[in-house]
Amino acid sequence: MPRTSEPVLGALHLRTWALRVLSSAGSPPPPPPVSREGWGLFLRVERCALALAARGAGPDDPAGSQAIRARAVDESRSILSARAELRRLGEAVRGPGLSLVVLKGAAPLLYGGRQVPMQDVDVLGTPATARAVAEALDRSGFQGQGRAASHRLAVRTQEAGLPVEIHTTAPGLPPAALDRAVPVPHSPLRVLHPADHLLHLLVHSAVHHPDRRGRLRDLLLIADAVARCAPGDLDAVRAAAALEAQAGPVTAQLELASAIANGAEAEVDGFALTAAGSYLMTEAFPRWGLRGAVLEYAWLAGGAAVAARSGAPSARGAHTLGIASAVAPLAWLRRHAPRAEQAARVLLRRGREWALLLPVGLFIARAAERAVRETQGAG
């Protein structure tokens, strides 16, 4: 197997440096010498340019400062787009009896927390509210894209805007979370109770998206949620995290994010292997010409193989198996043969990944392990 490319090794070195920068209250240390390509790869995956810029990181490194500035502009644009979608959603719920809760990265834009780059805006409401909001968005120029899922309506999109996902249930949230949501000053929208918000972020990134375990953008968002929690809330979240099927990565993310929130320099990065897999896939898959559904399933296969190598195998798709499918034949099967329905849904979700792209995933996992070893050897 050939040695790991410089951009991937450089991105791993930058991740170690960035964790020190973001989790320490002191002056940022200089970044390691890394190529422009390494900087680009690191910032594309970790999505932390705004946070690094806010810490004044890398001003004496020409490649780094230029990459941080350019990427920070893109991240700022996505945040502005998210704010625009929130204004539209606020207008959509001004009718009587409607209540909408803003989830994940968009929530701090309402309560004044840390701003992180956005790819979409997620909201949660009752089925009646969800339908009313979707109809209001459609009247204002949005269009449904794809099919509805068991836990959300079809994604709403418009030209030059961020997609909006309107959830009717949010896997990983306790049943009472919608009732515990809290109002936001000067907005008709609400956000989750701090403890529910934190637990949802942890489960979403560590369980629902195993390739995002330990991603710096997500750790920064989780750190913001940690800072918003009272001590009793944190104790409750730690207890709930310990009961998760994926308790290892969930708890590890909480501890790493807590170090960032408290300005206590993180000493151990338990997600270097996951990061290496993401860097490798981001660099290699476009070069291999992977596109569309093949690219999607190759990424899922790589993420699953890396998660297995890390000791916490992916359970992708399992979080919605308890919710009735929106597909009529599966809904019928659930009523008459629930075990068969569960098996069919797992096969549909992961069959192509297992059958066609497992070798790709295994290749990525082995290459990620080698990259981590090479980085540690260089250190």
mmCIF file of all heavy atoms in Angstrom, residues 69-100:
data_model
loop_
_atom_site.group_PDB
_atom_site.id
_atom_site.type_symbol
_atom_site.label_atom_id
_atom_site.label_comp_id
_atom_site.label_asym_id
_atom_site.label_seq_id
_atom_site.Cartn_x
_atom_site.Cartn_y
_atom_site.Cartn_z
ATOM 1 N N ARG A 69 -9.246 32.500 5.843
ATOM 2 C CA ARG A 69 -10.078 33.633 5.422
ATOM 3 C C ARG A 69 -11.075 33.224 4.350
ATOM 4 O O ARG A 69 -12.258 33.576 4.411
ATOM 5 C CB ARG A 69 -9.194 34.774 4.910
ATOM 6 C CG ARG A 69 -8.482 35.567 5.990
ATOM 7 C CD ARG A 69 -7.979 36.894 5.438
ATOM 8 N NE ARG A 69 -7.131 36.719 4.266
ATOM 9 C CZ ARG A 69 -5.812 36.558 4.315
ATOM 10 N NH1 ARG A 69 -5.185 36.540 5.483
ATOM 11 N NH2 ARG A 69 -5.108 36.412 3.203
ATOM 12 N N ALA A 70 -10.605 32.485 3.343
ATOM 13 C CA ALA A 70 -11.489 32.094 2.238
ATOM 14 C C ALA A 70 -12.611 31.189 2.726
ATOM 15 O O ALA A 70 -13.784 31.369 2.370
ATOM 16 C CB ALA A 70 -10.681 31.404 1.142
ATOM 17 N N ARG A 71 -12.258 30.217 3.547
ATOM 18 C CA ARG A 71 -13.281 29.291 4.022
ATOM 19 C C ARG A 71 -14.232 29.973 4.999
ATOM 20 O O ARG A 71 -15.428 29.666 5.044
ATOM 21 C CB ARG A 71 -12.610 28.089 4.678
ATOM 22 C CG ARG A 71 -13.527 26.976 5.110
ATOM 23 C CD ARG A 71 -14.324 26.371 3.973
ATOM 24 N NE ARG A 71 -13.507 25.799 2.923
ATOM 25 C CZ ARG A 71 -13.983 25.080 1.914
ATOM 26 N NH1 ARG A 71 -15.292 24.864 1.815
ATOM 27 N NH2 ARG A 71 -13.180 24.607 0.985
ATOM 28 N N ALA A 72 -13.724 30.916 5.794
ATOM 29 C CA ALA A 72 -14.591 31.635 6.737
ATOM 30 C C ALA A 72 -15.664 32.427 6.003
ATOM 31 O O ALA A 72 -16.793 32.558 6.491
ATOM 32 C CB ALA A 72 -13.757 32.556 7.623
ATOM 33 N N VAL A 73 -15.335 32.955 4.834
ATOM 34 C CA VAL A 73 -16.331 33.675 4.035
ATOM 35 C C VAL A 73 -17.452 32.723 3.621
ATOM 36 O O VAL A 73 -18.646 33.051 3.725
ATOM 37 C CB VAL A 73 -15.674 34.316 2.797
ATOM 38 C CG1 VAL A 73 -16.732 34.850 1.834
ATOM 39 C CG2 VAL A 73 -14.734 35.450 3.216
ATOM 40 N N ASP A 74 -17.087 31.529 3.157
ATOM 41 C CA ASP A 74 -18.107 30.552 2.773
ATOM 42 C C ASP A 74 -18.973 30.144 3.964
ATOM 43 O O ASP A 74 -20.195 30.007 3.843
ATOM 44 C CB ASP A 74 -17.431 29.306 2.182
ATOM 45 C CG ASP A 74 -16.805 29.566 0.829
ATOM 46 O OD1 ASP A 74 -17.196 30.557 0.176
ATOM 47 O OD2 ASP A 74 -15.910 28.801 0.429
ATOM 48 N N GLU A 75 -18.336 29.941 5.115
ATOM 49 C CA GLU A 75 -19.098 29.556 6.299
ATOM 50 C C GLU A 75 -20.051 30.675 6.722
ATOM 51 O O GLU A 75 -21.190 30.414 7.127
ATOM 52 C CB GLU A 75 -18.127 29.207 7.427
ATOM 53 C CG GLU A 75 -17.337 27.932 7.163
ATOM 54 C CD GLU A 75 -16.405 27.541 8.303
ATOM 55 O OE1 GLU A 75 -16.416 28.222 9.341
ATOM 56 O OE2 GLU A 75 -15.675 26.546 8.147
ATOM 57 N N SER A 76 -19.590 31.919 6.617
ATOM 58 C CA SER A 76 -20.451 33.054 6.976
ATOM 59 C C SER A 76 -21.663 33.133 6.054
ATOM 60 O O SER A 76 -22.781 33.434 6.506
ATOM 61 C CB SER A 76 -19.662 34.360 6.916
ATOM 62 O OG SER A 76 -18.624 34.370 7.866
ATOM 63 N N ARG A 77 -21.464 32.875 4.780
ATOM 64 C CA ARG A 77 -22.593 32.896 3.834
ATOM 65 C C ARG A 77 -23.641 31.859 4.211
ATOM 66 O O ARG A 77 -24.849 32.111 4.119
ATOM 67 C CB ARG A 77 -22.090 32.657 2.414
ATOM 68 C CG ARG A 77 -21.353 33.841 1.797
ATOM 69 C CD ARG A 77 -20.804 33.474 0.449
ATOM 70 N NE ARG A 77 -20.098 34.586 -0.160
ATOM 71 C CZ ARG A 77 -19.065 34.462 -0.998
ATOM 72 N NH1 ARG A 77 -18.642 33.245 -1.328
ATOM 73 N NH2 ARG A 77 -18.472 35.517 -1.500
ATOM 74 N N SER A 78 -23.192 30.683 4.614
ATOM 75 C CA SER A 78 -24.159 29.640 4.972
ATOM 76 C C SER A 78 -24.958 30.044 6.206
ATOM 77 O O SER A 78 -26.147 29.736 6.312
ATOM 78 C CB SER A 78 -23.438 28.308 5.211
ATOM 79 O OG SER A 78 -22.743 28.301 6.443
ATOM 80 N N ILE A 79 -24.321 30.744 7.129
ATOM 81 C CA ILE A 79 -25.018 31.206 8.332
ATOM 82 C C ILE A 79 -26.044 32.274 7.977
ATOM 83 O O ILE A 79 -27.170 32.280 8.490
ATOM 84 C CB ILE A 79 -24.000 31.716 9.365
ATOM 85 C CG1 ILE A 79 -23.169 30.544 9.896
ATOM 86 C CG2 ILE A 79 -24.697 32.445 10.512
ATOM 87 C CD1 ILE A 79 -21.962 30.956 10.703
ATOM 88 N N LEU A 80 -25.681 33.179 7.080
ATOM 89 C CA LEU A 80 -26.640 34.195 6.632
ATOM 90 C C LEU A 80 -27.836 33.540 5.951
ATOM 91 O O LEU A 80 -28.989 33.958 6.146
ATOM 92 C CB LEU A 80 -25.955 35.179 5.687
ATOM 93 C CG LEU A 80 -24.933 36.123 6.329
ATOM 94 C CD1 LEU A 80 -24.213 36.932 5.245
ATOM 95 C CD2 LEU A 80 -25.609 37.060 7.323
ATOM 96 N N SER A 81 -27.580 32.515 5.154
ATOM 97 C CA SER A 81 -28.687 31.796 4.513
ATOM 98 C C SER A 81 -29.575 31.127 5.549
ATOM 99 O O SER A 81 -30.810 31.132 5.429
ATOM 100 C CB SER A 81 -28.136 30.745 3.546
ATOM 101 O OG SER A 81 -27.480 31.347 2.449
ATOM 102 N N ALA A 82 -28.970 30.552 6.591
ATOM 103 C CA ALA A 82 -29.763 29.917 7.637
ATOM 104 C C ALA A 82 -30.640 30.938 8.356
ATOM 105 O O ALA A 82 -31.802 30.658 8.680
ATOM 106 C CB ALA A 82 -28.838 29.214 8.637
ATOM 107 N N ARG A 83 -30.099 32.119 8.607
ATOM 108 C CA ARG A 83 -30.899 33.171 9.239
ATOM 109 C C ARG A 83 -32.092 33.546 8.363
ATOM 110 O O ARG A 83 -33.197 33.786 8.876
ATOM 111 C CB ARG A 83 -30.024 34.398 9.507
ATOM 112 C CG ARG A 83 -29.019 34.201 10.627
ATOM 113 C CD ARG A 83 -28.343 35.518 10.969
ATOM 114 N NE ARG A 83 -27.394 35.365 12.049
ATOM 115 C CZ ARG A 83 -27.701 35.306 13.339
ATOM 116 N NH1 ARG A 83 -28.976 35.380 13.713
ATOM 117 N NH2 ARG A 83 -26.763 35.172 14.260
ATOM 118 N N ALA A 84 -31.888 33.600 7.061
ATOM 119 C CA ALA A 84 -32.992 33.920 6.154
ATOM 120 C C ALA A 84 -34.077 32.844 6.214
ATOM 121 O O ALA A 84 -35.279 33.153 6.228
ATOM 122 C CB ALA A 84 -32.464 34.068 4.723
ATOM 123 N N GLU A 85 -33.665 31.573 6.272
ATOM 124 C CA GLU A 85 -34.661 30.494 6.364
ATOM 125 C C GLU A 85 -35.416 30.567 7.690
ATOM 126 O O GLU A 85 -36.625 30.303 7.742
ATOM 127 C CB GLU A 85 -33.987 29.127 6.216
ATOM 128 C CG GLU A 85 -33.098 28.957 5.001
ATOM 129 C CD GLU A 85 -33.756 29.310 3.683
ATOM 130 O OE1 GLU A 85 -34.981 29.515 3.636
ATOM 131 O OE2 GLU A 85 -33.036 29.399 2.673
ATOM 132 N N LEU A 86 -34.725 30.932 8.765
ATOM 133 C CA LEU A 86 -35.404 31.044 10.056
ATOM 134 C C LEU A 86 -36.450 32.155 10.033
ATOM 135 O O LEU A 86 -37.524 32.025 10.634
ATOM 136 C CB LEU A 86 -34.385 31.295 11.168
ATOM 137 C CG LEU A 86 -33.474 30.114 11.525
ATOM 138 C CD1 LEU A 86 -32.445 30.527 12.571
ATOM 139 C CD2 LEU A 86 -34.291 28.924 12.025
ATOM 140 N N ARG A 87 -36.144 33.243 9.341
ATOM 141 C CA ARG A 87 -37.151 34.321 9.222
ATOM 142 C C ARG A 87 -38.386 33.810 8.479
ATOM 143 O O ARG A 87 -39.524 34.103 8.875
ATOM 144 C CB ARG A 87 -36.551 35.530 8.509
ATOM 145 C CG ARG A 87 -35.576 36.326 9.370
ATOM 146 C CD ARG A 87 -35.267 37.674 8.743
ATOM 147 N NE ARG A 87 -34.578 37.550 7.472
ATOM 148 C CZ ARG A 87 -33.251 37.494 7.345
ATOM 149 N NH1 ARG A 87 -32.472 37.537 8.419
ATOM 150 N NH2 ARG A 87 -32.695 37.402 6.150
ATOM 151 N N ARG A 88 -38.172 33.044 7.422
ATOM 152 C CA ARG A 88 -39.310 32.507 6.670
ATOM 153 C C ARG A 88 -40.108 31.519 7.522
ATOM 154 O O ARG A 88 -41.342 31.500 7.489
ATOM 155 C CB ARG A 88 -38.809 31.827 5.395
ATOM 156 C CG ARG A 88 -38.172 32.788 4.385
ATOM 157 C CD ARG A 88 -37.797 32.065 3.100
ATOM 158 N NE ARG A 88 -37.163 32.973 2.153
ATOM 159 C CZ ARG A 88 -35.841 33.121 2.010
ATOM 160 N NH1 ARG A 88 -35.017 32.376 2.733
ATOM 161 N NH2 ARG A 88 -35.351 33.977 1.136
ATOM 162 N N LEU A 89 -39.401 30.703 8.272
ATOM 163 C CA LEU A 89 -40.089 29.748 9.132
ATOM 164 C C LEU A 89 -40.870 30.475 10.226
ATOM 165 O O LEU A 89 -41.983 30.056 10.602
ATOM 166 C CB LEU A 89 -39.080 28.787 9.754
ATOM 167 C CG LEU A 89 -38.480 27.758 8.784
ATOM 168 C CD1 LEU A 89 -37.228 27.123 9.377
ATOM 169 C CD2 LEU A 89 -39.511 26.685 8.449
ATOM 170 N N GLY A 90 -40.313 31.563 10.746
ATOM 171 C CA GLY A 90 -41.032 32.350 11.742
ATOM 172 C C GLY A 90 -42.328 32.904 11.191
ATOM 173 O O GLY A 90 -43.364 32.910 11.881
ATOM 174 N N GLU A 91 -42.288 33.365 9.954
ATOM 175 C CA GLU A 91 -43.521 33.862 9.330
ATOM 176 C C GLU A 91 -44.540 32.742 9.135
ATOM 177 O O GLU A 91 -45.747 32.953 9.237
ATOM 178 C CB GLU A 91 -43.189 34.501 7.976
ATOM 179 C CG GLU A 91 -42.411 35.796 8.064
ATOM 180 C CD GLU A 91 -43.214 36.884 8.774
ATOM 181 O OE1 GLU A 91 -44.448 36.939 8.581
ATOM 182 O OE2 GLU A 91 -42.606 37.657 9.528
ATOM 183 N N ALA A 92 -44.042 31.526 8.894
ATOM 184 C CA ALA A 92 -44.946 30.406 8.595
ATOM 185 C C ALA A 92 -45.687 29.898 9.829
ATOM 186 O O ALA A 92 -46.696 29.195 9.687
ATOM 187 C CB ALA A 92 -44.157 29.262 7.966
ATOM 188 N N VAL A 93 -45.197 30.227 11.037
ATOM 189 C CA VAL A 93 -45.859 29.688 12.231
ATOM 190 C C VAL A 93 -46.583 30.771 13.031
ATOM 191 O O VAL A 93 -46.839 30.603 14.215
ATOM 192 C CB VAL A 93 -44.854 28.961 13.158
ATOM 193 C CG1 VAL A 93 -44.334 27.725 12.497
ATOM 194 C CG2 VAL A 93 -43.715 29.873 13.576
ATOM 195 N N ARG A 94 -46.926 31.860 12.395
ATOM 196 C CA ARG A 94 -47.637 32.923 13.111
ATOM 197 C C ARG A 94 -49.130 32.659 13.225
ATOM 198 O O ARG A 94 -49.855 33.410 13.862
ATOM 199 C CB ARG A 94 -47.379 34.274 12.437
ATOM 200 C CG ARG A 94 -45.923 34.726 12.588
ATOM 201 C CD ARG A 94 -45.719 36.165 12.191
ATOM 202 N NE ARG A 94 -44.319 36.560 12.285
ATOM 203 C CZ ARG A 94 -43.726 36.964 13.401
ATOM 204 N NH1 ARG A 94 -44.417 37.028 14.520
ATOM 205 N NH2 ARG A 94 -42.455 37.310 13.410
ATOM 206 N N GLY A 95 -49.593 31.591 12.610
ATOM 207 C CA GLY A 95 -51.011 31.253 12.721
ATOM 208 C C GLY A 95 -51.345 30.654 14.072
ATOM 209 O O GLY A 95 -50.466 30.205 14.814
ATOM 210 N N PRO A 96 -52.602 30.602 14.437
ATOM 211 C CA PRO A 96 -53.024 30.074 15.742
ATOM 212 C C PRO A 96 -52.734 28.580 15.867
ATOM 213 O O PRO A 96 -52.926 27.808 14.927
ATOM 214 C CB PRO A 96 -54.537 30.348 15.764
ATOM 215 C CG PRO A 96 -54.929 30.474 14.317
ATOM 216 C CD PRO A 96 -53.742 31.058 13.617
ATOM 217 N N GLY A 97 -52.246 28.196 17.024
ATOM 218 C CA GLY A 97 -52.036 26.785 17.323
ATOM 219 C C GLY A 97 -50.780 26.180 16.731
ATOM 220 O O GLY A 97 -50.560 24.973 16.865
ATOM 221 N N LEU A 98 -49.942 26.985 16.070
ATOM 222 C CA LEU A 98 -48.731 26.450 15.444
ATOM 223 C C LEU A 98 -47.515 26.715 16.338
ATOM 224 O O LEU A 98 -47.361 27.817 16.872
ATOM 225 C CB LEU A 98 -48.502 27.093 14.070
ATOM 226 C CG LEU A 98 -49.617 26.890 13.040
ATOM 227 C CD1 LEU A 98 -49.239 27.564 11.730
ATOM 228 C CD2 LEU A 98 -49.893 25.415 12.819
ATOM 229 N N SER A 99 -46.671 25.717 16.477
ATOM 230 C CA SER A 99 -45.466 25.850 17.293
ATOM 231 C C SER A 99 -44.363 25.022 16.661
ATOM 232 O O SER A 99 -44.553 23.831 16.380
ATOM 233 C CB SER A 99 -45.733 25.379 18.727
ATOM 234 O OG SER A 99 -44.570 25.475 19.504
ATOM 235 N N LEU A 100 -43.221 25.648 16.447
ATOM 236 C CA LEU A 100 -42.126 25.004 15.728
ATOM 237 C C LEU A 100 -40.843 25.140 16.537
ATOM 238 O O LEU A 100 -40.518 26.221 17.030
ATOM 239 C CB LEU A 100 -41.959 25.660 14.354
ATOM 240 C CG LEU A 100 -41.219 24.883 13.274
ATOM 241 C CD1 LEU A 100 -41.966 23.589 12.938
ATOM 242 C CD2 LEU A 100 -41.095 25.741 12.011
#
